[in-house]
Every structure is written in structure tokens, then in C-alpha cells.
Amino acid sequence: MNRRIPVAVAALLATALAIPTGATGATAAPAACAGVLFDDFAYDSHTDPRLAQRGWQLRNGGGGPGVGNWSAANATFPVVDGQPVLQLSAHTDGTTGGTSQAEVMHQRKFYEGTYSARVRFSDVPVSGADGDHLVQTFFTITPLAFPNDPNYGELDFEYLPNGGWGESGATMFLTSWETYQPDPWVADNRSTAVRSGFAGWRTLTVQVSGGTLRYFIGDQLVATHDGHVYPETPMMLAFQEWFIDHAAHSGGRSTYQTQNDWVYYAANEVLSPAGVQDRVNGLRANGTKHTDSASC
């Protein structure tokens, strides 16, 4: 598969978020983390000051992955079915200059426990011709400090509605990364491909506990990874929408969107998807739009 964040971008993120990167190949000891994060995405716009106050960073500028720039304005917060959502838009006209992508990332303070998000994937654009090699994703990541950094980690839900990375049709990749080397390219990961369409609302859950990673789509366990790809250090969590290439673009401007209803993390707890939903329902019933006691 293609790379999500090349080393230059990882280094930039590490600087911007004041993340110590280290300078040796020693593997860090696992962090003692605690707390819960829940966000209902009840914000006014991408300029809402509460986003930064609550640890969210909306990306602007260039850099990988993808074949275009990034704009914070591609994140909006409409109300859908009575609930606020984080909506990510990406568009392309088949050129680098005419391509704009979206990323919203939280600070690095999450490790073992349960991560979950309710995401609405789309197989077709909201305008323009279909067929672009698009990636719609919810993931966690530790920045790469140097090639083959053993403290790097990444856990991916990556949906490709129009294929790409050697796939001709809709595919969901569940990928757990140990590390990588950007040049020449060397990847060290385990990946499971589910070749099916996933348009519509899906709850994505990954359990990180006891050396094993379990990925769920809805209530279905779709991948289990263990061994050396298990993360060693705290991670950030994020949502992205971006284009792999322009090879499948058929002309004009095409715009794609995903929507994110909520995100939930519980440190040091192994929760089923149903258990997460019960927690979210309880928070919403109490009128809670955001709570964050997570720390590492």
C-alpha cells in the first residue's frame, strides 16, 4: 500500500505538537495511560476556537499522503438526522493544483484500550464524475522520528470505494504498522483486505490490549493482528479523506464527502462495539457533547 504520512510530514507534526522524537533505535517502554475521550463534533465551523482548545488540529498546506494540498475549510459541521457531524470533503479536477484534501487529528495521548468512531462512508461523489482512487479513513498514528523507527505505530481503517493499491473494486484495509523506511520504500506491517462495499453508516472499533489488535466493523470482527506490529508508544487519532493518484479521474471536478458522528476512546478497557454504543448513548442522554480525561 501507499504511505499515509512520509517522514517529513511526521517530523513536522512532531514539532508542531511538541512530541519528543528521540534519536536512537531503542524501543520506548509502554506508557501508563488513563481516561476517556468522547466528542460529538458539536462545533460551529473549522474556525471554532473550541477545536484547538480540545486538542484537535485541522490540517492546511502540502505534504503526503495523497496528490494535493490540504485545507482546514474542508472540515464542516452540519446537523444530520438531528445530530452534529464532522463532515470531510475532498475534491479533484485531476491535477495536483486542483486537488484539495481533508484531515482532522487529535493530540498524541492514546495507547491501550478501545478506539471507536461512527463513520458514514460514501461510494459516489456528491458532485462530478465517479471513479477516483479515494481513501476515507479513521486511524491512529505515532510520528516516524527516523527511518525504521521502532517506536512508530499506526492502526488503520482505510476504505477505498473505487479501488486502488492493486484493488479494482471497493475494499477496506485493516492495517497494523510496526515501522517503515520511506526511501527506498520498505514497509513492515500486517494488513487484512475486506473486498466489499461499506457505503453508509459504520461503527469502526479497534481493541488494543494484551499484545493483540482486534478490528471490528459494526459487530463483526474482521481482522486480528498480533506480534511485533503491536504499538509500543502513545498515538494520535485522526480522520482523513484524500486521493491516492489521478489515474482514474475522468474529467471535470469531482467532490467526495464522509461524515463522522462521534469518536470514543477508553484507556485500558476492552469494550465490544455494543459496549461502546451503550457508553455513547449514555453520554448523549446526559447532554454531554464532549468530555476528555485521556492522558498519557
Side-chain angles (χ1 to χ4, degrees):
M1 289 194 296
N2 235 350
R3 251 327 308 132
R4 176 187 299 287
I5 299 183
V7 64
V9 180
L12 176 62
L13 281 170
T15 301
L17 296 174
I19 299 168
T21 57
T24 74
T27 301
C33 304
V36 166
L37 168 72
F38 168 70
D39 205 323
D40 209 17
F41 297 121
Y43 299 100
D44 296 330
S45 72
H46 72 280
T47 61
D48 191 324
R50 293 175 298 170
L51 286 161
Q53 292 165 6
R54 294 174 177 177
W56 292 107
Q57 180 178 354
L58 280 63
R59 188 171 175 186
N60 280 303
V67 289
N69 290 323
W70 305 81
S71 174
N74 289 340
T76 56
F77 299 90
V79 174
V80 176
D81 299 330
Q83 294 287 352
V85 301
L86 163 62
Q87 180 169 278
L88 298 184
S89 298
H91 65 260
T92 186
D93 63 3
T95 69
T96 299
T99 299
S100 185
Q101 306 172 133
E103 175 183 276
V104 177
M105 178 174 283
H106 207 281
Q107 65 198 88
R108 182 187 177 193
K109 60 175 187 175
F110 309 99
Y111 185 47
E112 292 183 309
T114 303
Y115 300 76
S116 191
R118 185 169 183 254
V119 180
R120 187 178 191 174
F121 295 114
S122 178
D123 283 353
V124 297
V126 294
S127 64
D130 194 8
D132 292 284
H133 291 157
L134 177 75
V135 182
Q136 304 170 347
T137 180
F138 168 56
F139 66 102
T140 70
I141 192 168
T142 301
L144 187 79
F146 49 86
N148 295 316
D149 177 5
N151 293 329
Y152 179 78
E154 182 176 349
L155 311 177
D156 295 334
F157 290 91
E158 294 177 307
Y159 183 50
L160 283 57
N162 295 313
W165 293 334
E167 299 292 333
S168 60
T171 304
M172 179 78 79
F173 284 101
L174 303 315
T175 307
S176 308
W177 288 83
E178 169 57 17
T179 191
Y180 71 96
Q181 174 181 291
D183 187 20
W185 175 247
V186 178
D188 186 353
N189 64 35
R190 290 185 61 188
S191 189
T192 300
V194 182
R195 296 173 177 88
S196 180
F198 287 96
W201 285 109
R202 307 286 177 172
T203 299
L204 312 176
T205 304
V206 57
Q207 300 168 343
V208 182
S209 180
T212 300
L213 307 165
R214 297 177 179 87
Y215 294 83
F216 295 81
I217 301 176
D219 293 328
Q220 183 178 1
L221 178 64
V222 292
T224 300
H225 300 158
D226 55 17
H228 75 297
V229 297
Y230 192 83
E232 296 89 3
T233 60
M235 298 176 287
M236 300 176 280
L237 59 84
F239 302 87
Q240 285 179 339
E241 182 143 343
W242 55 280
F243 297 96
I244 297 171
D245 54 40
H246 298 311
H249 190 73
S250 57
R253 171 169 156 159
S254 299
T255 300
Y256 299 81
Q257 291 179 345
T258 55
Q259 295 172 340
N260 305 283
D261 187 17
W262 48 259
V263 63
Y264 184 87
Y265 164 80
N268 304 317
E269 290 189 87
V270 177
L271 299 174
S272 68
V276 172
Q277 189 64 63
D278 286 345
R279 295 273 184 95
V280 171
N281 291 345
L283 289 162
R284 282 181 160 173
N286 291 332
T288 302
K289 299 295 184 182
H290 173 268
T291 186
D292 186 2
S293 59
S295 64
C296 271

